[in-house]
Each structure stands twice: as C-alpha cells, then as structure tokens.
Amino acid sequence: MDRKKVGKGEVSRTRLLQAAAAEFAANGYHRARVSDIVRRAGLTQAAFYLYFPSKEWLYQELMEAFFKKLWELSDAGRKVTPLAKHEVRGRMEENLLELFRFFAEMPELTTIVLSQAEEGEELHRKLAEMVSTNLRNNQEAGHVRADLSIEVTAESIVAMLYRLTIRFLLTGEKKAEQLAKEAVALLANGMLQTAPLKGE
C-alpha cells in the first residue's frame, strides 16, 4: 500500500472532521450541509463520501470521540479518594484544569455539545452522575463535608462548569488555568466571609 496515499487520505479525513465541527458549531446539525462542509475543508463532495457515508455518520463519529475523552477526564475525580487531606485541593484543581483544557482544545465540539439540547442533556445527566459518585466516595473518605447534599452539589458543579466554559473559556476572556484556580477557590472555600459570632 502506498504510504503517501494513506497519509494524504488521513489529512483529508481530518480536514473534513475539523470543517464539520466548525460548521455544526456555527449553524447547528440540521442546517449544516455536506456542500458547506466540503467547501470549508477545501475538498469535493466525492472526497467526503470516500470517508463518510453520510453527514449523520460523520456527526456521530465526532460526538463519540468527544464524549469518550470527556468521560475519561470527568471520571478522574475518583483519584482524589486515596490522597492525604492536604493534597485534595491540588488534585481537584488539576482535574478541573484538564477538563477546561480539553474544552479549550475542542471549542467547536464543546459549543455543539453545550448548546444543543439533546447532546447537552446527555452530557449534563452523565456528568452529574459521575460527579455524584466521586463526591460520595470523597465524602466517605472525609474530604467532602458530611452535611452536603451530594445531588445538589453535583448539579451545582456541573452547572458552574457549563457557565464558566461558555462565558469565559470559549470567549477567550479567561484561560483554563485561571478558571480552574477560581473554581476551586469557590468550591474549596465557599463564598461567605466567616466571622466569629458575638461573644466569641
């Protein structure tokens, strides 16, 4: 087999995937057309059908790759459980940083998933389940306050990640590192300035 042809084929396939991600993010799945995707990629419709039998097939491939990586990153919270207490905050920040970096590296797919109802709801539900499991494990290990509602906390974290990503990360207003630090400051310290009660 000619390695040059294989290499060129992979380049064309990658260009189509990147162009499709940009097209879906800009116009939504239903309004995106194969003709727009190939125009954006600088290729022909014949080239498109050489690699993908349909727009649906290409879209599914993009989503599967995105979610596979996302679930790997989201499940990293389980690694916190065996850590010493003084190491927990640093690991939490590392896990959030990896997640924000992933979103920043794939802005088109992140936009699609967070803004389109079907994928967004699937993401929300599964992420909340993972965060709940991780929180419960860490609550049992003594890293998370015993009086917190796991379900409410998990939903709050997922909602916060959504908004931080859409509002600051995808707009370029804040970098992944800054968002991870600021999110952990809120999650680890809360937001109220604690003061001694009168008479104390």
Side-chain angles (χ1 to χ4, degrees), residues 127-140:
L127 270 180
E129 287 175 3
M130 285 184 163
V131 172
S132 291
T133 299
N134 295 338
L135 282 171
R136 194 167 284 107
N137 290 339
N138 285 284
Q139 195 176 52
E140 291 169 3

PDB file of all heavy atoms in Angstrom, residues 127-140:
ATOM      1  N   LEU A 127     -22.565  13.605  33.407  1.00  0.00           N
ATOM      2  CA  LEU A 127     -21.576  14.307  34.232  1.00  0.00           C
ATOM      3  C   LEU A 127     -22.039  14.394  35.687  1.00  0.00           C
ATOM      4  O   LEU A 127     -21.264  14.173  36.614  1.00  0.00           O
ATOM      5  CB  LEU A 127     -21.337  15.720  33.702  1.00  0.00           C
ATOM      6  CG  LEU A 127     -20.240  15.916  32.663  1.00  0.00           C
ATOM      7  CD1 LEU A 127     -20.161  17.381  32.270  1.00  0.00           C
ATOM      8  CD2 LEU A 127     -18.906  15.411  33.151  1.00  0.00           C
ATOM      9  N   ALA A 128     -23.315  14.729  35.883  1.00  0.00           N
ATOM     10  CA  ALA A 128     -23.851  14.833  37.244  1.00  0.00           C
ATOM     11  C   ALA A 128     -23.771  13.496  37.965  1.00  0.00           C
ATOM     12  O   ALA A 128     -23.454  13.436  39.159  1.00  0.00           O
ATOM     13  CB  ALA A 128     -25.292  15.344  37.211  1.00  0.00           C
ATOM     14  N   GLU A 129     -24.023  12.402  37.256  1.00  0.00           N
ATOM     15  CA  GLU A 129     -23.911  11.074  37.860  1.00  0.00           C
ATOM     16  C   GLU A 129     -22.479  10.778  38.277  1.00  0.00           C
ATOM     17  O   GLU A 129     -22.228  10.261  39.370  1.00  0.00           O
ATOM     18  CB  GLU A 129     -24.386  10.000  36.864  1.00  0.00           C
ATOM     19  CG  GLU A 129     -25.887   9.952  36.661  1.00  0.00           C
ATOM     20  CD  GLU A 129     -26.290   8.962  35.575  1.00  0.00           C
ATOM     21  OE1 GLU A 129     -25.403   8.275  35.017  1.00  0.00           O
ATOM     22  OE2 GLU A 129     -27.498   8.886  35.284  1.00  0.00           O
ATOM     23  N   MET A 130     -21.524  11.107  37.394  1.00  0.00           N
ATOM     24  CA  MET A 130     -20.114  10.866  37.714  1.00  0.00           C
ATOM     25  C   MET A 130     -19.657  11.721  38.893  1.00  0.00           C
ATOM     26  O   MET A 130     -18.973  11.241  39.799  1.00  0.00           O
ATOM     27  CB  MET A 130     -19.238  11.158  36.494  1.00  0.00           C
ATOM     28  CG  MET A 130     -19.293  10.106  35.426  1.00  0.00           C
ATOM     29  SD  MET A 130     -18.144  10.515  34.092  1.00  0.00           S
ATOM     30  CE  MET A 130     -18.021   8.933  33.289  1.00  0.00           C
ATOM     31  N   VAL A 131     -20.035  12.993  38.855  1.00  0.00           N
ATOM     32  CA  VAL A 131     -19.644  13.894  39.944  1.00  0.00           C
ATOM     33  C   VAL A 131     -20.268  13.430  41.255  1.00  0.00           C
ATOM     34  O   VAL A 131     -19.611  13.439  42.301  1.00  0.00           O
ATOM     35  CB  VAL A 131     -20.038  15.354  39.622  1.00  0.00           C
ATOM     36  CG1 VAL A 131     -19.805  16.257  40.829  1.00  0.00           C
ATOM     37  CG2 VAL A 131     -19.245  15.866  38.428  1.00  0.00           C
ATOM     38  N   SER A 132     -21.510  12.970  41.215  1.00  0.00           N
ATOM     39  CA  SER A 132     -22.173  12.460  42.427  1.00  0.00           C
ATOM     40  C   SER A 132     -21.420  11.276  43.010  1.00  0.00           C
ATOM     41  O   SER A 132     -21.175  11.207  44.223  1.00  0.00           O
ATOM     42  CB  SER A 132     -23.614  12.027  42.122  1.00  0.00           C
ATOM     43  OG  SER A 132     -24.420  13.129  41.833  1.00  0.00           O
ATOM     44  N   THR A 133     -21.036  10.340  42.154  1.00  0.00           N
ATOM     45  CA  THR A 133     -20.287   9.160  42.615  1.00  0.00           C
ATOM     46  C   THR A 133     -18.961   9.565  43.229  1.00  0.00           C
ATOM     47  O   THR A 133     -18.584   9.095  44.310  1.00  0.00           O
ATOM     48  CB  THR A 133     -20.051   8.192  41.442  1.00  0.00           C
ATOM     49  OG1 THR A 133     -21.311   7.764  40.935  1.00  0.00           O
ATOM     50  CG2 THR A 133     -19.253   6.981  41.880  1.00  0.00           C
ATOM     51  N   ASN A 134     -18.250  10.470  42.526  1.00  0.00           N
ATOM     52  CA  ASN A 134     -16.952  10.916  43.032  1.00  0.00           C
ATOM     53  C   ASN A 134     -17.087  11.674  44.353  1.00  0.00           C
ATOM     54  O   ASN A 134     -16.288  11.499  45.279  1.00  0.00           O
ATOM     55  CB  ASN A 134     -16.249  11.785  41.987  1.00  0.00           C
ATOM     56  CG  ASN A 134     -15.900  10.997  40.730  1.00  0.00           C
ATOM     57  OD1 ASN A 134     -15.796   9.780  40.762  1.00  0.00           O
ATOM     58  ND2 ASN A 134     -15.738  11.686  39.622  1.00  0.00           N
ATOM     59  N   LEU A 135     -18.107  12.520  44.447  1.00  0.00           N
ATOM     60  CA  LEU A 135     -18.339  13.274  45.682  1.00  0.00           C
ATOM     61  C   LEU A 135     -18.666  12.334  46.841  1.00  0.00           C
ATOM     62  O   LEU A 135     -18.174  12.505  47.962  1.00  0.00           O
ATOM     63  CB  LEU A 135     -19.486  14.267  45.497  1.00  0.00           C
ATOM     64  CG  LEU A 135     -19.183  15.559  44.743  1.00  0.00           C
ATOM     65  CD1 LEU A 135     -20.469  16.318  44.473  1.00  0.00           C
ATOM     66  CD2 LEU A 135     -18.193  16.430  45.513  1.00  0.00           C
ATOM     67  N   ARG A 136     -19.505  11.340  46.554  1.00  0.00           N
ATOM     68  CA  ARG A 136     -19.893  10.400  47.612  1.00  0.00           C
ATOM     69  C   ARG A 136     -18.668   9.624  48.116  1.00  0.00           C
ATOM     70  O   ARG A 136     -18.493   9.435  49.323  1.00  0.00           O
ATOM     71  CB  ARG A 136     -20.962   9.437  47.081  1.00  0.00           C
ATOM     72  CG  ARG A 136     -21.667   8.654  48.171  1.00  0.00           C
ATOM     73  CD  ARG A 136     -22.913   7.957  47.650  1.00  0.00           C
ATOM     74  NE  ARG A 136     -24.017   8.896  47.461  1.00  0.00           N
ATOM     75  CZ  ARG A 136     -24.470   9.312  46.289  1.00  0.00           C
ATOM     76  NH1 ARG A 136     -23.897   8.899  45.168  1.00  0.00           N
ATOM     77  NH2 ARG A 136     -25.475  10.161  46.216  1.00  0.00           N
ATOM     78  N   ASN A 137     -17.815   9.180  47.194  1.00  0.00           N
ATOM     79  CA  ASN A 137     -16.590   8.487  47.594  1.00  0.00           C
ATOM     80  C   ASN A 137     -15.716   9.375  48.459  1.00  0.00           C
ATOM     81  O   ASN A 137     -15.132   8.935  49.460  1.00  0.00           O
ATOM     82  CB  ASN A 137     -15.796   8.038  46.357  1.00  0.00           C
ATOM     83  CG  ASN A 137     -16.483   6.920  45.604  1.00  0.00           C
ATOM     84  OD1 ASN A 137     -17.328   6.216  46.158  1.00  0.00           O
ATOM     85  ND2 ASN A 137     -16.130   6.752  44.339  1.00  0.00           N
ATOM     86  N   ASN A 138     -15.606  10.636  48.058  1.00  0.00           N
ATOM     87  CA  ASN A 138     -14.758  11.565  48.803  1.00  0.00           C
ATOM     88  C   ASN A 138     -15.397  12.011  50.110  1.00  0.00           C
ATOM     89  O   ASN A 138     -14.699  12.345  51.063  1.00  0.00           O
ATOM     90  CB  ASN A 138     -14.404  12.760  47.915  1.00  0.00           C
ATOM     91  CG  ASN A 138     -13.365  12.399  46.875  1.00  0.00           C
ATOM     92  OD1 ASN A 138     -12.191  12.283  47.191  1.00  0.00           O
ATOM     93  ND2 ASN A 138     -13.788  12.162  45.652  1.00  0.00           N
ATOM     94  N   GLN A 139     -16.704  12.012  50.158  1.00  0.00           N
ATOM     95  CA  GLN A 139     -17.402  12.296  51.415  1.00  0.00           C
ATOM     96  C   GLN A 139     -17.112  11.187  52.424  1.00  0.00           C
ATOM     97  O   GLN A 139     -16.815  11.433  53.585  1.00  0.00           O
ATOM     98  CB  GLN A 139     -18.901  12.411  51.151  1.00  0.00           C
ATOM     99  CG  GLN A 139     -19.691  13.061  52.281  1.00  0.00           C
ATOM    100  CD  GLN A 139     -21.157  13.235  51.891  1.00  0.00           C
ATOM    101  OE1 GLN A 139     -21.809  12.281  51.460  1.00  0.00           O
ATOM    102  NE2 GLN A 139     -21.675  14.443  52.035  1.00  0.00           N
ATOM    103  N   GLU A 140     -17.165   9.945  51.950  1.00  0.00           N
ATOM    104  CA  GLU A 140     -16.864   8.805  52.809  1.00  0.00           C
ATOM    105  C   GLU A 140     -15.409   8.801  53.276  1.00  0.00           C
ATOM    106  O   GLU A 140     -15.096   8.339  54.376  1.00  0.00           O
ATOM    107  CB  GLU A 140     -17.189   7.504  52.076  1.00  0.00           C
ATOM    108  CG  GLU A 140     -18.678   7.288  51.850  1.00  0.00           C
ATOM    109  CD  GLU A 140     -18.983   6.137  50.902  1.00  0.00           C
ATOM    110  OE1 GLU A 140     -18.023   5.455  50.465  1.00  0.00           O
ATOM    111  OE2 GLU A 140     -20.168   5.922  50.605  1.00  0.00           O
TER     112      GLU A 140
END
